[in-house]
Amino acid sequence: MLNRRGILAGLAASPFIVALGAPAGTASAATRARSSGAGTAAETIVRGGARRWHGPFLSPGARLLLPAGVKAAPVEDYFTSPRLTRTAYAWPQMPALDGMMVDASIIPEHGAPSRVAVLSGFDNGGYELISREGKATRVTWDHRELPYLLFVGEFGATKDVGYMSKFFTLALEPFSRNPVFPHTPIR
């Protein structure tokens, strides 16, 4: 199981390519896939390229567009012992870490609770992030090889050391298996 530090360390260590412009640019999330550890082939989790966004592109009011049919399985106890909830929600509705239902496709104001989920059910691997000013970035990957997308949004409410209520970022990374609890399928 990856813990918070493993997820964030992996996201921070991964290179990312972001294409910005008035017409949506395209970047491939499968530009560099790697194993997340030793073990048998069945135990190995393949990770796609992680993408992280910060200001000024990521600001309140930006939107994350995903294909229809995507499910969001929120991660509980993200800061202590991450595990998936038993319920998957139809994107974009999901509970934030404070339990309130939110439209996860809209980037909230500074100080909003974190949003962490494993997304699945992709007909095609891709998403588009559109800034408040209308600039867009599009990322695609092979959803048959990487059917899960880890969604981590930190929006300033977390007061833990390292965050200090100032961390405002969105991180997205495709995986070959559920990265939070690899042996449990998301329903």
Side-chain angles (χ1 to χ4, degrees):
M1 180 186 307
L2 294 175
N3 61 22
R4 172 184 60 144
R5 294 190 190 280
I7 291 170
L8 290 176
L11 291 172
S14 297
F16 55 92
I17 300 169
V18 176
L20 297 175
T26 301
S28 172
T31 54
R32 185 174 76 119
R34 65 181 184 275
S35 169
S36 65
T40 67
E43 294 173 345
T44 301
I45 295 178
V46 177
R47 300 169 58 173
R51 308 290 188 266
R52 282 192 310 183
W53 287 272
H54 308 282
F57 184 79
L58 185 74
S59 61
R63 296 189 61 89
L64 176 63
L65 304 178
L66 295 173
V70 169
K71 299 279 187 201
V75 176
E76 294 179 331
D77 296 331
Y78 174 64
F79 296 105
T80 56
S81 179
R83 65 184 184 281
L84 292 179
T85 62
R86 294 186 183 266
T87 305
Y89 298 84
W91 178 266
Q93 297 301 311
M94 65 175 262
L97 288 187
D98 69 351
M100 296 295 296
M101 289 299 288
V102 297
D103 179 343
S105 69
I106 301 171
I107 303 304
E109 295 293 325
H110 287 268
S114 302
R115 301 172 185 177
V116 183
V118 176
L119 308 177
S120 64
F122 290 89
D123 287 344
N124 56 40
Y127 59 83
E128 189 170 10
L129 185 62
I130 303 170
S131 74
R132 186 173 53 197
E133 293 78 26
K135 293 182 181 178
T137 181
R138 181 177 298 143
V139 177
T140 62
W141 69 92
D142 185 347
H143 71 285
R144 294 168 303 226
E145 292 184 31
L146 303 169
Y148 296 97
L149 181 66
L150 180 63
F151 170 95
V152 179
E154 288 287 346
F155 302 115
T158 305
K159 295 175 180 33
D160 290 7
V161 173
Y163 295 98
M164 308 299 232
S165 302
K166 296 180 182 180
F167 202 56
F168 192 88
T169 189
L170 176 65
L172 299 159
E173 182 173 9
F175 281 85
S176 62
R177 292 192 319 169
N178 172 355
V180 176
F181 195 68
H183 303 293
T184 304
I186 298 173
R187 300 184 198 283

